[in-house]
Amino acid sequence: MSTPEASGEGFHRAFGRPPEGIWSAPGRVNLIGEFTDYNDGFVLPLALPFATQACVARRDDNLVRVASAQRLEGGRFSVVDAALDQLRPATTSGWVSYVLGVVWALREAGENIGGVEIHIDSDVPIGAGLSSSAALECSVALALHDLYGLKLSLQELARVAQRAENEYVGVPTGIMDQTASLRCRAGHALFLDTRTLEVRQVPLDLEPAGLTLLVVNTGVKHALGDSAYANRRRDCQRAAKELGVAALRDIAPEKMDAFLAQIADVVVRRRARHVISEQSRVLEVVGLLESGRLAEVGPVLSAGHWSLRDDFEVSCAELDTIVEVAVASGACGARMTGGGFGGSAVVLLELAAVQAVTMAVAKAFATRGFGTPEITEIVACDGASRVA
Ligand code: ADP
Ligand code: MG
């Protein structure tokens, strides 16, 4: 990860002075509970050891100046300027919208944010389903919150960041990513009820049990993603409407079959089956983790993957390969994580199996003509904080 010193130097190179402080916000991987967040359901993310750092200093005029070490032009910082009173949703495109969106959303929430200089540096893989977007939003949101002495709760700040992404950038995501980036705790997964926004820290004591997690970044993002996301979301709303409930989370998993039989369209029925069964998988995984039956989580993860592949139809050959090969070479279980059609998968396995599984997945990717996967062993880290 980029050190605070290196990020501070980046700020200095972009703006010619030191920052007032540095804030760091992690990416996340969702252990289980995929596509449940826009159905008011449960999710279980953990914060990654990859994070985005925002170096920030206030200005005494109304200018917002933004630069990112991941968006250099010809090796030089390209600083984007925007006037505070000109910030309007959907008027800018590209990465700066995520930053300007946070400033806009805070001001919309009635907070008196003035001009600022913001420099971004990150080691969260971008567009890999590990939520570099929330890491970016949350690092900026927390920085502005602290610098301007705001009194928002972390959950309120997550809402601000979500609003930036939904309304300013125009991406209709749920509340999971921002909540995870702000509220996760080291050594724990965050059990979040996306309807009530209640959270419970669930211990993830993998190492004493001889277990660990791998994140496998396929390095691909198949084009289908955006329209498929919107279609799935619409199908879920349609299913809830047909079943006469506010959201699919209101269907008890034990009554799933009876309810599903009432849905006429076979595709909509399968989408609903994924969401309702995924709800019970989240509860199952939380129960297993809390009772120390860690290895048994594996098959539940794999079952979640097959449901995403067959019922929700958001997987792809690369992701299926990771799950098949990881399990065949000794992993406890694995699943795609994030929006699908590429991005990343998460694998639960014994420490002793890391090498065999890593080699088997890399070999299968080579044999099948896929790119080189990026495989990283991870631990559950803390959510966002001030680091300097
Ligand atoms: P994911 O959140 O899975 O990484 P998204 O498509 O939601 O993928 O968000 C990725 C976008 O977020 C990038 O295309 C870019 O606009 C913005 N972004 C994320 N991190 C950075 C960064 N460090 N510097 C500049 N832009 C970033
Ligand atoms: Mg994102």
Side-chain angles (χ1 to χ4, degrees):
M1 142 156 29
S2 175
T3 60
E5 293 74 33
S7 303
E9 273 170 38
F11 184 96
H12 203 285
R13 266 187 287 142
F15 301 114
R17 60 171 176 148
E20 286 184 75
I22 306 178
W23 288 260
S24 177
R28 61 94 192 100
V29 63
N30 190 21
L31 195 56
I32 190 85
E34 213 65 74
F35 298 99
T36 45
D37 66 345
Y38 58 67
N39 292 288
D40 276 3
F42 305 129
V43 293
L44 192 66
L46 50 118
L48 289 169
F50 310 131
T52 296
Q53 296 194 339
C55 296
V56 183
R58 286 167 290 182
R59 292 174 59 90
D60 45 23
D61 58 11
N62 78 340
L63 212 54
V64 183
R65 312 196 71 209
V66 199
S68 166
Q70 283 67 55
R71 291 290 182 270
L72 303 180
E73 276 177 21
R76 294 176 62 85
F77 286 110
S78 143
V79 177
V80 179
D81 289 347
L84 275 176
D85 46 12
Q86 303 289 308
L87 300 181
R88 304 264 184 285
T91 50
T92 51
S93 63
W95 76 273
V96 278
S97 298
Y98 291 86
V99 177
L100 300 180
V102 170
V103 179
W104 169 82
L106 278 171
R107 283 164 62 86
E108 284 287 300
E111 303 296 350
N112 190 19
I113 305 296
V116 279
E117 283 165 355
I118 301 172
H119 173 265
I120 299 299
D121 198 357
S122 177
D123 64 359
V124 185
I126 293 178
L130 303 176
S131 211
S132 70
S133 57
L136 175 55
E137 293 147 13
C138 293
S139 64
V140 173
L142 192 65
L144 296 176
H145 181 271
D146 288 359
L147 276 180
Y148 283 92
L150 310 185
K151 298 274 182 285
L152 299 175
S153 68
L154 289 177
Q155 194 57 57
E156 286 167 332
L157 212 52
R159 273 277 183 239
V160 163
Q162 184 200 14
R163 195 167 173 211
E165 184 151 348
N166 290 172
E167 294 181 39
Y168 201 94
V169 183
V171 181
T173 52
I175 190 67
M176 167 172 70
D177 298 351
Q178 294 83 4
T179 306
S181 186
L182 288 164
R183 301 187 71 183
C184 278
R185 289 279 158 268
H188 293 80
L190 186 80
F191 177 35
L192 166 68
D193 180 335
T194 62
R195 172 173 280 170
T196 64
L197 299 176
E198 267 173 71
V199 301
R200 191 157 95 222
Q201 301 289 346
V202 179
L204 200 61
D205 290 327
L206 297 176
E207 207 187 337
L211 296 169
T212 190
L213 290 170
L214 300 178
V215 164
V216 184
N217 178 1
T218 61
V220 298
K221 190 82 210 152
H222 297 297
L224 220 65
D226 291 348
S227 59
Y229 187 91
N231 291 341
R232 303 295 184 281
R233 201 169 173 150
R234 208 187 41 234
D235 287 346
C236 290
Q237 279 163 352
R238 198 171 136 191
K241 197 163 172 217
E242 268 186 60
L243 298 177
V245 290
L248 286 176
R249 107 68 120 359
D250 294 310
I251 306 293
E254 60 276 14
K255 298 194 180 141
M256 177 171 81
D257 290 338
F259 273 101
L260 289 178
Q262 299 172 34
I263 301 176
D265 186 290
V266 286
V267 173
V268 174
R269 198 185 308 153
R270 278 194 281 119
R271 305 294 187 246
R273 184 166 62 185
H274 165 71
V275 174
I276 301 166
S277 64
E278 186 81 347
Q279 277 288 96
S280 69
R281 280 187 289 273
V282 178
L283 295 175
E284 198 179 347
V285 169
V286 169
L288 289 169
L289 290 175
E290 290 185 333
S291 54
R293 292 157 63 192
L294 303 176
E296 290 171 59
V297 166
V300 190
L301 302 188
S302 301
H305 184 80
W306 309 133
S307 174
L308 288 160
R309 182 191 64 180
D310 301 332
D311 278 350
F312 223 63
E313 295 181 282
V314 289
S315 189
C316 63
E318 291 87 347
L319 292 166
D320 294 341
T321 296
I322 296 167
V323 177
E324 277 162 27
V325 173
V327 171
S329 55
C332 307
R335 60 181 285 275
M336 56 157 274
T337 180
F341 303 109
S344 300
V346 58
V347 182
L348 176 70
L349 72 177
E350 288 182 5
L351 285 161
V354 167
Q355 205 183 357
V357 169
T358 302
M359 282 170 56
V361 170
K363 186 164 170 228
F365 265 54
T367 311
R368 296 180 193 188
F370 304 150
T372 310
E374 215 175 279
I375 306 179
T376 316
E377 194 175 339
I378 56 146
V379 289
C381 293
D382 274 322
S385 65
R386 183 173 189 157
V387 292

